[in-house]
């Protein structure tokens, strides 16, 4: 019984295997014949020709009018965008619009470049940064040309008050850019009040308008506002904005081309290349041949007499001046060898001198002076630094008595972009920056307030690219924050 059942199972398995072998053989034969089937099995001829004609194929064609075409949004090429970063506690970044909302999501430091909403709503032409405050030159249809945000403890942003039930209340901190109203005389137009140039010091602001009028405001303890020093003058809540015609400074044949503020002194550069100064002079930074403070504007002479100066640079109390031939001059504080590499030379120079330490590095096109260091850029786009501080050569190099060159690869030059070079340099009191030909910004130095825009507060010992969504055209280096004017990539 058991034997017959096993025999039956074996027979069935053999039969199934034979069927599989027959099927495989049939497939092999079909493959050898090119997978052809008998003519009788071919489908009708018109089955394959159902959509072959042009008229028939049009039924399958997609409606091109409904296809969405990607068109990248092109930014307004004339509109400049402003990015801000650094210490926000003072309100200098102008990112806050509401006090209550600011308390909910408050951050004391903005570590990364952030686009200013004010620049989105207004056409910003120029910016400058003081100690904890920022100023914007704008063009608007309502005639307002000047706005500011940040510290206003010395009325460096003008007379700013807020109406309250108990009376007028002075605003010591302005969290969003507010109009600074310049006093006008009869027949002055909105065009006359457009800003030609401006600069901010520690607690004062100097503005030159297109019609050649100089406006000064803020702290005048050292005469930096170009007016007589008044003992025990109260600057908080002051409505004093001093007005000076430029002809009173440089005469009717010349005009003010630029203004540069140090910590507590002011310098004017004219179109003919002359330099006029006033303010704090204890380190000789006014270049007037003495160490006194004065509110009287006087022309700086010395070795720059007869020279055509085209650039002034100062962020503290050391001054550099560049003439049209690329020669460098300097005066003011030289305690860290900024103006001379000789230990026997005076460390407070009150008269402009021709600097010999930059000879041999080529014709200079740009300069910058910090609190204890200096920078120079030659016509080949090479950057040199000297003095004391974080000079860009690493943590082991903090002093150099002679200009030392920073390598071009630090500023974006490589095998794929071998023509990239630096086109502009600048600095604050403790940090430096450089813009290359691609519109990239590189920064290094002290970073206590996150003003290098690198995402942290650590000091940066080599030039490092700051991530900004635009091509940088100008940078305002404040002591604790940074402003950058950019153009869109497209």
């Amino acid at each position: 019984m058991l034997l017959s059942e096993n025999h039956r199972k074996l027979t069935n398995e053999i039969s199934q295997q034979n069927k599989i072998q027959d099927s495989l053989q049939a497939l092999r034969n079909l493959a050898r014949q090119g997978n052809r089937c008998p003519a009788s099995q071919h489908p009708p001829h018109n089955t394959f020709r159902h959509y072959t004609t042009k008229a028939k194929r049009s039924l399958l064609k997609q409606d091109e009018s409904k296809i969405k075409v990607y068109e990248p949004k092109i930014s307004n090429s004339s509109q400049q965008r402003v990015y801000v970063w650094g210490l926000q506690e003072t309100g200098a970044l102008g990112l806050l619009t509401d006090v209550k909302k600011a308390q909910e999501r408050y951050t004391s430091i903005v570590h990364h470049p952030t686009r200013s909403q004010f620049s989105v709503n207004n056409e910003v032409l120029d910016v400058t940064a003081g100690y904890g405050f920022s100023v914007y030159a704008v063009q608007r249809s309502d005639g307002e040309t000047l706005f500011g945000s940040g510290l206003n403890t010395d009325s460096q942003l003008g007379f700013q008050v807020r109406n309250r039930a108990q009376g007028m209340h002075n605003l010591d901190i302005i969290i969003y850019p507010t109009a600074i109203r310049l006093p006008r005389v009869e027949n002055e137009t909105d065009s006359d009040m457009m800003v030609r140039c401006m600069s901010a010091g520690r607690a004062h602001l100097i503005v030159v308008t297109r019609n050649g009028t100089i406006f000064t405001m803020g702290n005048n303890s050292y005469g930096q506002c170009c007016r007589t020093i008044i003992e025990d003058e109260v600057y908080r809540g002051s409505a004093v904005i001093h007005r000076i015609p430029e002809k009173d400074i440089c005469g009717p044949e010349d005009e003010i081309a630029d203004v540069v503020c140090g910590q507590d002194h002011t310098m004017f550069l004219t179109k003919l290349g002359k330099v006029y100064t006033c303010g704090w002079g204890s380190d000789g930074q006014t270049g007037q041949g003495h160490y006194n403070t004065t509110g009287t504007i006087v022309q700086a002479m010395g070795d720059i007499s007869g020279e055509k100066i085209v650039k002034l640079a100062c962020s503290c109390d050391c001054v550099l001046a560049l003439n049209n031939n690329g020669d460098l001059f300097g005066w003011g504080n030289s305690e860290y060898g900024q103006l001379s590499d000789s230990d026997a030379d005076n460390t407070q120079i009150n008269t402009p001198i021709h600097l010999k330490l930059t000879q041999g590095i080529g014709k200079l096109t740009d300069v910058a002076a910090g609190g204890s260091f200096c920078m120079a850029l030659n016509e080949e786009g090479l950057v040199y630094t000297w003095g004391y501080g974080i000079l860009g050569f690493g943590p082991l190099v903090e002093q150099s008595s002679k200009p030392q060159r920073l390598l071009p690869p630090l500023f974006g030059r490589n095998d794929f972009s071998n023509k990239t070079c630096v086109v502009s340099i600048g600095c604050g009191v403790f940090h430096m920056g450089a813009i290359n030909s691609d519109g990239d910004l590189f920064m290094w130095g002290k970073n206590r307030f996150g003003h290098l825009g690198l995402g942290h507060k650590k000091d940066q010992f080599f030039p490092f690219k700051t991530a900004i969504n635009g091509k940088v055209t100008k940078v305002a280096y404040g002591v604790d924050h940074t402003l950058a004017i950019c153009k869109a990539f497209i």
Side-chain angles (χ1 to χ4, degrees):
M1 184 74 176
L2 181 62
L3 183 63
S4 60
E5 184 177 352
N6 290 338
H7 183 268
R8 186 171 58 253
K9 290 181 179 180
L10 181 62
T11 303
N12 291 336
E13 290 179 0
I14 293 173
S15 177
Q16 290 178 1
Q17 290 180 1
N18 291 335
K19 290 180 180 180
I20 292 173
Q21 291 295 332
D22 293 342
S23 298
L24 291 174
Q25 186 61 40
L27 291 173
R28 292 190 189 99
N29 295 336
L30 189 63
R32 291 192 190 98
Q33 297 175 9
N35 199 21
R36 293 174 301 195
C37 57
S40 60
Q41 297 181 10
H42 276 288
H45 182 72
N46 60 357
T47 303
F48 286 106
R49 297 290 298 173
H50 188 65
Y51 292 112
T52 55
T53 63
K54 185 175 181 181
K56 296 292 185 180
R57 286 199 304 269
S58 64
L59 297 175
L60 296 178
K61 189 175 181 181
Q62 188 175 2
D63 188 355
E64 294 182 356
S65 63
K66 296 182 179 180
I67 300 176
K68 294 183 178 181
V69 180
Y70 173 70
E71 295 182 357
K73 184 179 179 181
I74 305 300
S75 301
N76 185 354
S77 59
S78 63
Q79 185 177 8
Q80 302 189 103
R81 55 183 67 181
V82 177
Y83 285 83
V84 299
W85 62 94
L87 186 65
Q88 185 175 232
E89 283 185 344
T90 61
L93 303 187
L95 296 176
L96 307 177
T97 57
D98 186 271
V99 176
K100 292 183 179 180
K101 291 182 179 179
Q103 292 175 348
E104 295 175 359
R105 54 178 185 273
Y106 177 74
T107 174
S108 61
I109 294 177
V110 176
H111 294 282
H112 297 279
T114 303
R115 189 173 181 182
S116 168
Q117 185 63 36
F118 178 76
S119 69
V120 176
N121 301 330
N122 297 273
E123 184 179 355
V124 178
L125 305 177
D126 196 7
V127 294
T128 187
Y131 284 34
F133 66 98
S134 305
V135 181
Y136 306 83
V138 302
Q139 183 172 4
R140 289 165 47 118
S141 59
D142 61 0
E144 298 292 352
T145 60
L146 195 65
F147 283 75
S149 66
L151 292 179
N152 193 39
T153 53
D154 292 85
S155 300
Q156 57 265 55
L157 298 178
F159 184 57
Q160 304 289 350
V161 295
R162 181 179 180 183
N163 291 321
R164 287 188 173 180
Q166 59 269 35
M168 303 290 283
H169 176 71
N170 183 71
L171 293 176
D172 291 337
I173 294 180
I174 302 172
I175 63 174
Y176 191 79
T178 304
I180 303 174
R181 292 179 172 82
L182 303 176
R184 302 190 183 190
V185 297
E186 189 178 358
N187 297 326
E188 277 188 329
T189 64
D190 294 343
S191 179
D192 292 334
M193 291 292 103
M194 294 293 294
V195 177
R196 181 193 299 174
C197 56
M198 61 181 181
S199 183
R202 175 161 56 178
H204 74 291
L205 173 67
I206 310 295
V207 179
V208 182
T209 57
R210 287 183 181 177
N211 66 347
T213 304
I214 296 96
F215 295 91
T216 72
M217 63 198 81
N219 195 297
N220 190 52
S221 298
Y222 306 100
Q224 61 266 47
C225 286
C226 315
R227 59 186 177 88
T228 303
I229 301 173
I230 301 175
E231 189 175 355
D232 298 328
E233 181 178 358
V234 177
Y235 302 104
R236 183 174 182 269
S238 173
V240 176
I241 296 182
H242 190 49
R243 180 186 176 110
I244 312 168
E246 68 178 349
K247 64 180 182 180
D248 290 354
I249 299 176
C250 56
E253 303 299 327
D254 203 355
E255 64 180 49
I256 303 296
D258 195 13
V259 57
V260 177
C261 292
Q263 193 172 35
D264 291 304
H265 72 288
T266 302
M267 300 178 292
F268 297 96
L269 176 63
T270 71
K271 192 174 182 179
L272 297 180
K274 298 179 181 180
V275 179
Y276 297 84
T277 69
C278 67
W280 192 19
S282 62
D283 288 305
Q285 58 265 54
T286 57
Q288 296 181 8
H290 57 72
Y291 299 100
N292 303 323
T293 59
T294 176
T296 303
I297 303 173
V298 177
Q299 182 179 354
M301 301 300 286
D303 288 351
I304 64 173
S305 178
E307 299 286 346
K308 184 177 182 180
I309 302 300
V310 295
K311 175 68 184 289
L312 286 174
C314 180
S315 63
C316 193
D317 50 16
C318 175
V319 183
L320 294 181
L322 189 67
N323 72 0
N324 57 337
N325 295 320
D327 300 322
L328 189 61
F329 301 83
W331 62 93
N333 191 306
S334 186
E335 295 177 357
Y336 301 95
Q338 303 100 302
L339 305 180
S340 175
D341 57 357
S342 174
D343 295 334
D345 289 343
N346 190 2
T347 57
Q348 277 84 29
I349 301 172
N350 59 23
T351 303
I353 60 172
H354 182 228
L355 302 186
K356 299 180 181 179
L357 51 80
T358 57
Q359 293 178 352
I361 66 174
K363 181 179 178 181
L364 303 182
T365 59
D366 200 2
V367 292
S372 58
F373 54 80
C374 294
M375 305 174 66
L377 175 69
N378 68 10
E379 59 184 353
E380 297 178 0
L382 302 176
V383 179
Y384 293 80
T385 63
W386 69 97
Y388 176 81
I390 300 179
L391 303 178
F393 301 101
L396 301 180
V397 179
E398 60 180 16
Q399 195 277 331
S400 176
S401 59
K402 292 184 179 180
Q404 301 294 329
R405 179 168 63 93
L406 289 166
L407 298 178
L410 293 171
F411 302 102
R413 182 180 296 183
N414 52 57
D415 293 339
F416 301 98
S417 183
N418 56 11
K419 293 184 180 180
T420 299
C421 62
V422 175
V423 296
S424 175
I425 57 175
C427 68
V429 179
F430 305 110
H431 63 291
M432 310 184 202
I435 304 172
N436 71 7
S437 52
D438 297 325
D440 297 325
L441 173 63
F442 295 81
M443 300 189 72
W444 65 102
K446 294 288 186 180
N447 194 30
R448 176 183 176 186
F449 302 106
H451 47 271
L452 299 185
L454 304 179
H456 55 74
K457 295 194 296 182
K458 299 177 182 178
D459 294 344
Q460 177 63 35
F461 294 95
F462 295 98
F464 198 89
K465 182 179 175 181
T466 302
I468 303 179
N469 190 21
K471 294 183 178 180
V472 181
T473 58
K474 181 179 179 178
V475 179
Y477 302 88
V479 69
D480 52 14
H481 69 290
T482 308
L483 312 174
I485 296 181
C486 310
K487 289 186 177 179
F489 289 119
I490 56 173

